[in-house]
Amino acid sequence: MAMKKVLTLVFVREPGRILLGMKKRGFGQGRWNGFGGKVEKGESITDGAKRELLEECGVTAKSLNEVGLINFEFVGDPVILEVHVFDTWDYMNSPVETEEMRPQWYGEKEVPFGEMWPDDEYWFPHMLNGKKFEAYYKFEGMDKILDSWIKEKTEQ
Ligand code: 6U4
Ligand code: NA
Ligand code: NA
């Protein structure tokens, strides 16, 4: 049976720009990414997302918007990563560098896709256009996407 690991990924937004973090260690090291990590036992997904954002760059989100849900499969690994993607426009404190992340603002047209997870270039446009999405990516190693799909979620 496939096991699932629930993870969060948070993007701090301002008009025309988005906050990314250079991951300094661990999974995804050397790539620009959002802030996030594993949801802990007894914690809601949004509480986990807020906690990781605070731990990784000192920002407190007053509210989070759900923007996407992505399932990642890595060939040879039975664990599916279920990544809940959020953004926030409503936050306190300026981003600071931590042991895990070096934060930097990027213009929405200057997002450095060449130094990010390869899936990001496919779903970022949906997020930047304010569209909710669901997606799936099957990776071989860290660089190669073997299979994928994405769909925009329509509001009911
Ligand atoms: P620990 O073990 O506590 O240091 P933790 O901070 O809980 O780890 P971490 O940093 O391993 O978790 O979480 C991985 C982060 O990478 C999550 O925010 C989800 C994100 N992520 C994983 N695969 C991704 C991918 N293919 N594309 C992407 N983000 C991904 O954009
Ligand atoms: Na993390
Ligand atoms: Na963590």
Side-chain angles (χ1 to χ4, degrees):
M1 204 180 73
M3 290 170 286
K4 274 205 171 182
K5 205 189 268 182
V6 179
L7 298 167
T8 58
L9 189 58
V10 181
F11 293 91
V12 178
R13 307 283 304 273
E14 285 191 352
R17 65 181 194 165
I18 185 164
L19 185 69
L20 301 177
M22 171 50 68
K23 191 98 179 337
K24 294 160 71 174
R25 65 177 191 204
F27 195 65
Q29 182 176 352
R31 285 179 165 163
W32 294 102
N33 206 351
F35 303 88
K38 297 171 203 75
V39 175
E40 293 176 354
K41 277 209 186 71
E43 175 180 66
S44 69
I45 294 171
T46 51
D47 284 348
K50 288 179 180 177
R51 175 184 51 73
E52 291 277 354
L53 178 66
L54 179 60
E55 285 176 5
E56 293 185 351
C57 72
V59 167
T60 298
K62 291 198 263 183
S63 63
L64 291 176
N65 309 305
E66 280 180 37
V67 305
L69 180 65
I70 314 175
N71 278 278
F72 293 102
E73 181 181 343
F74 289 85
V75 173
D77 188 341
V79 181
I80 303 291
L81 303 183
E82 181 185 279
V83 178
H84 294 252
V85 186
F86 300 92
D87 72 9
T88 179
W89 297 78
D90 186 18
Y91 68 94
M92 296 185 297
N93 301 327
S94 296
V96 293
E97 183 167 353
T98 62
E99 283 183 9
E100 187 159 345
M101 284 285 206
R102 176 162 52 88
Q104 188 172 310
W105 290 102
Y106 280 94
E108 288 181 2
K109 295 186 173 69
E110 280 99 47
V111 174
F113 291 115
E115 302 167 69
M116 297 167 73
W117 280 98
D119 50 285
D120 292 23
E121 67 173 297
Y122 301 109
W123 56 262
F124 253 64
H126 296 271
M127 175 170 71
L128 294 176
N129 290 329
K131 306 289 191 194
K132 294 186 185 175
F133 65 91
E134 279 183 30
Y136 165 78
Y137 298 94
K138 180 178 183 175
F139 273 85
E140 182 179 73
M142 303 285 166
D143 298 319
K144 190 173 177 192
I145 296 171
L146 294 181
D147 195 9
S148 69
W149 54 258
I150 185 163
K151 63 179 185 215
E152 269 185 13
K153 280 175 70 180
T154 47
E155 305 291 342
Q156 300 286 342

